[in-house]
Amino acid sequence: MSFNTFGHLFRVTTFGESHGPALGCVIDGCPPRIPLTAADIQRDLDRRRPGQSRYTTQRQEPDTVRILSGVFADAAGGQEMTTGTPIALLIDNVDQRSKDYSAIRDKYRPGHAGYTYDVKYGLHDYRGGGRASARETAARVAAGAVARKVVPGLVVRAALVQIGPHRIDRANWDWAEVGRNPFFCPDARAAAQFAGYLDGVRKAGSSIGAVIEVVAENVPAGLGAPVYGKLDADIAAAFMGINAVKGVEIGDGFAVAQLSGEDNADEMRMGNDGRPRFLSNHAGGILGGISTGQPVVARFAVKPTSSILSARRTVDRTGRETEIVTTGRHDPCVGIRAVPVGEAMLACVLADHYLRHRGQVGEAPRWPRAASQDQ
Ligand SMILES: Cc1cc2nc3c(=O)[nH]c(=O)nc-3n(C[C@H](O)[C@H](O)[C@H](O)COP(=O)(O)O)c2cc1C
C-alpha cells in the first residue's frame, strides 16, 4: 500500500496497523536545533489515547512514544534537540484482541474500508481494520507535536462543536473548558447535554457523527503557494485524509452560500502595530490560498462509527449475502478522539508551508510598501 507520506519539506511517513506490534512515523525535514523530548509528544498522545472515558473505545493503549532517532543532547547545554536528521517515533500496540473480530473475518462492515481494501489489494485484514484503523492517527498526533514547534509562536487548538443534532452555543465558547470535559467541548452546558445524549447512543450499541473546529493562531501572513499548493487546499486534503472524515469547511465554509458580498467582506483597517486589522474573518484566515495573518479556522465532519451492534445487511468475501453485527470495543463517536488528530494535521500542514515559504521567499517583503512602489 503506497502513499503513506504527506508534506513536502516537513515530510511525514507513517507505518503500522491496528493489530501489528507497533506503529509510528518518520519525520524528514524537521529543522535542526528545536528542543524536543518524548514528553513534548506524549502530552498530545495522551489526549488522543483510547479508554479514557466511557464515551471512547475501551481498548487500553498507553500509547507511550519512544524517539528512536533525530535528537541529540548537546553536551554543553544538555538539552535534547532535533538534529535535522529523520526523527523516528515508535508507539507499541499492547492491547490487541484479534479474536473480537473472528466472527466477522470474512464479512465486510458497511461503512468501513474492508471491501475497498479487499477489492483493490486482494487482502482483508479483519483485525480492527488493519491499516484502515484509526490506530494510525496516533502517529499523526506524534508528528503534529513536533510540527507545532516548527512555526514560532504557533498555537493550534481544536474543539468538538456538534454531536449528532446537538450543537454548542458559540456565545459560551471557552477554550479552558475543552480540557475539563471528556468531549473536548468548549461549551460546558453543551458538554452536559452531549453526555446524556451519548450515553443513550452507547447503550443502544449505536454510534453518531460529529463536527470538529480547528483554529490556528499566530500563523504568519504569506503561507501558502498558489495555485496548486494553496494553504486551504492542503488543509482540506489533510483533514479529508483523517479516518471517517466526510466534509471539510474553511472559514464560513458552506454558509458563504447564504452571504451577500457585503456580509462576506472581511473589511480592513490599519492597526496600531502598523499591520492591517480585519474586522471579521469569514475567510478563515486564507485568501487566494495564502494566509492573511488572521487565525486559520477550519472544520471537519466525521461520520458515525460503522461498527455497531444492530445487524446490517452485507456480503462476504465469497460474494454471499449475509448480515453483520460488530461486537468488540469501538468508539460510539469517533469525533471525540478526532479532535487532537485535527490539531495535529493542521500543525503539520502549517509547518510544511512555513518551511516552503521560507525556502522560496526567505525574508518577508517590506509591508506597507512605499507609495512609489505601488505603480
Ligand atoms: C479517532 C478515530 C477512532 C475511530 N475508531 C473507530 C472504531 O472504533 N470503530 C470503527 O469502526 N471505526 C472507527 N473509526 C473510523 C474508521 O477508521 C474509518 O471509518 C474507516 O477506516 C473507513 O474509512 P473512512 O470512514 O475514512 O471511509 C475511527 C476514526 C477515528 C478518527
Side-chain angles (χ1 to χ4, degrees), residues 64 67 74 170-172 184 207 210 219 222 258 261 274 283 332 353 375:
T64 306
I67 304 180
D74 189 331
R170 300 186 78 87
N172 296 340
F184 300 110
S207 64
V219 178
Q258 299 169 37
H353 272 281
Q375 277 91 54

Side-chain angles (χ1 to χ4, degrees), residues 94-172:
V94 302
D95 188 23
Q96 310 96 318
R97 269 198 226 154
S98 303
K99 70 169 170 34
D100 280 358
Y101 295 89
S102 46
I104 61 162
R105 63 181 300 156
D106 291 324
K107 299 179 182 180
Y108 304 120
R109 279 180 277 174
H112 216 288
Y115 169 67
T116 48
Y117 273 49
D118 203 2
V119 94
K120 182 175 172 73
Y121 300 108
L123 294 166
H124 183 230
D125 188 348
Y126 61 92
R127 307 160 312 157
R131 181 70 177 154
S133 161
R135 282 295 295 147
E136 188 269 346
T137 61
R140 300 172 187 232
V141 170
V146 181
R148 287 177 195 274
K149 293 174 156 249
V150 170
V151 185
L154 179 70
V155 177
V156 183
R157 296 183 287 192
L160 195 81
V161 296
Q162 183 176 348
I163 288 187
H166 300 291
R167 294 165 194 249
I168 62 155
D169 178 350
R170 300 186 78 87
N172 296 340

Side-chain angles (χ1 to χ4, degrees), residues 3-14 26-30 140 143 147 228-229 231 233-235 237-239 344-356:
F3 293 96
N4 294 287
T5 301
F6 66 97
H8 290 260
L9 294 190
F10 187 88
R11 210 165 160 73
V12 180
T13 303
T14 73
V26 176
I27 303 164
D28 197 7
C30 182
R140 300 172 187 232
Y228 295 112
L231 186 58
D234 283 353
I235 292 168
F239 284 172
M345 292 310 284
L346 184 53
C348 286
V349 171
L350 291 170
D352 188 40
H353 272 281
Y354 176 77
L355 298 179
R356 286 158 69 176

Side-chain angles (χ1 to χ4, degrees), residues 48 57 101 109 111-113 117 129 131-135 137 240-246 302-308 326 329-332 334-339 341:
R48 194 214 70 103
T57 171
Y101 295 89
R109 279 180 277 174
H112 216 288
Y117 273 49
R131 181 70 177 154
S133 161
R135 282 295 295 147
T137 61
M240 283 303 291
I242 300 172
N243 312 45
V245 172
K246 282 305 206 187
V302 292
K303 68 188 191 187
T305 325
S306 52
S307 303
I308 47 175
T326 313
R329 302 164 297 174
H330 298 281
D331 290 279
V334 301
I336 299 172
R337 293 198 303 125
V339 171
V341 183

